Amino acid sequence: MGTIARHVAGAVVAWLVFTSEGLVGYLGLLGYAVITNGDPGGPLAGPVFVVVAALIGFVAVPLLVAPAVLVAEATGRRRGRFVGALIGGGGAMLAAALCAAAVALVTDVSPGGAVLAGLVAALAVVGPVAAYAATAGAVRGLARRPQPAPVDEEQFARLPS
């Protein structure tokens, strides 16, 4: 498989991780609402929360995650994988935090709420970046595996049994 195939596979897996984080986030909020006798939301709260997470992932993967992995790969070739992962992942976390904080401030959220939104966004991008990089690396590793030699069926049939 080529470079494009492994990055497409990584992007799909990263998007699935974003969507899964939406489901886990909703379940966490639902559990909090049940424990505190709060409003759990309507019957569409869960599906809407997951769809919103999927849409955010659809935008965030090509804008944040893919560039972070590409920067990590390029840096990793020169400085080592660990440094590449730190720079790529840290860049994605910083970009996600700044975007979330900016959106929070524009929508009249308190400064503390904007910082919290930035922190949550920075933490939420770690899983998709790791999943993208791991998937792209695994697909690259599968492509490099030696293929088995073809078997000559006629010669195989003539062997004594």
Side-chain angles (χ1 to χ4, degrees):
M1 285 194 197
T3 301
I4 293 175
R6 70 185 178 94
H7 285 289
V8 168
V12 169
V13 170
W15 177 77
L16 289 172
V17 170
F18 262 111
T19 306
S20 300
E21 285 178 346
L23 177 62
V24 170
Y26 169 71
L27 292 175
L29 290 174
L30 180 64
Y32 178 77
V34 168
I35 290 172
T36 61
N37 287 332
D39 183 20
L44 294 179
V48 168
F49 204 87
V50 172
V51 167
V52 167
L55 290 174
I56 290 171
F58 189 73
V59 172
V61 167
L63 295 178
L64 291 175
V65 176
V69 172
L70 293 174
V71 166
E73 285 180 353
T75 306
R77 284 188 204 111
R78 293 189 179 119
R79 307 263 173 144
R81 286 186 178 184
F82 182 72
V83 173
L86 285 178
I87 290 174
M93 291 176 71
L94 179 64
L98 291 175
C99 288
V103 168
L105 287 174
V106 168
T107 56
D108 292 332
V109 174
S110 68
V115 169
L116 182 61
L119 180 63
V120 168
L123 293 176
V125 82
V126 171
V129 168
Y132 186 117
T135 303
V139 170
R140 181 186 324 129
L142 286 174
R144 289 183 181 169
R145 277 189 8 198
Q147 299 298 322
V151 175
D152 184 9
E153 295 293 332
E154 290 178 18
Q155 187 180 19
F156 185 73
R158 286 182 283 189
L159 290 174
S161 45

